[in-house]
Amino acid sequence: MTDQTPVQPAAKVLGGLTPYLQLDGAFKAAEFYKKAFGAEQVFFYPPDDQGRTMHIHLHINGSTLMISDFYPENGMPAVKPQGYTMQLHLGADEIDGWWKRAVDAGCEVAVPLQLMFWGDQWGNMRDPFGVEWAMNAPAKKG
């Protein structure tokens, strides 16, 4: 294993609940999340001799998302994501741009962005790493 010393000081955690995803290819996922969701990478541990990282800290839409690679030798085996959705809460004037950027980056649309029965715009997509993402915003007025 290579030196696991951080390359920068720890970044501020935004929000009161932080999703932490284990993915196959955390560095690739971080780069994808920059393109798809405007993520800012604010901290990471350098890769080990297998190209994995134990921690990447991102800021997306005013919140923190943390990701790492799988480490089966440390009790974090590779498992397929299931049973959760990362939901972005956006403004009525923002959602179309966020949606287009994510789809253009390579997210697969599961439920098209549309006006839902509860009165908001909502849609669901899947990223290339198997993570479900949804976007929600108040309906546009007028």
Side-chain angles (χ1 to χ4, degrees):
M1 191 168 215
T2 61
D3 180 22
Q4 289 292 300
T5 304
V7 295
Q8 68 280 313
K12 181 177 181 179
V13 175
L14 304 177
L17 176 65
T18 302
Y20 204 120
L21 303 175
Q22 284 80 39
L23 304 167
D24 185 16
F27 280 118
K28 288 180 183 177
E31 287 303 311
F32 180 80
Y33 294 156
K34 289 177 189 178
K35 287 187 272 183
F37 305 113
E40 176 189 3
Q41 183 174 297
V42 294
F43 181 87
F44 70 94
Y45 279 97
D48 66 11
D49 55 0
Q50 296 177 48
R52 304 174 303 177
T53 183
M54 61 185 287
H55 183 72
I56 299 175
H57 183 152
L58 303 171
H59 288 165
I60 300 175
N61 191 36
S63 295
T64 288
L65 172 65
M66 296 183 182
I67 59 178
S68 73
D69 283 284
F70 296 112
Y71 281 85
E73 69 275 21
N74 293 321
M76 294 173 51
V79 294
K80 185 176 181 177
Q82 60 182 6
Y84 64 89
T85 301
M86 306 297 293
Q87 181 146 307
L88 294 162
H89 296 274
L90 304 163
D93 295 332
E94 300 175 300
I95 194 166
D96 291 330
W98 278 74
W99 185 265
K100 182 178 180 347
R101 178 177 59 197
V103 172
D104 288 350
C107 285
E108 176 187 340
V109 175
V111 178
L113 188 60
Q114 60 191 288
L115 184 61
M116 300 303 285
F117 65 90
W118 61 84
D120 289 348
Q121 291 183 69
W122 185 87
N124 182 284
M125 59 184 63
R126 184 173 303 106
D127 74 27
F129 303 90
V131 178
E132 297 284 329
W133 293 82
M135 295 185 190
N136 193 87
K140 292 179 183 174
K141 304 227 187 232

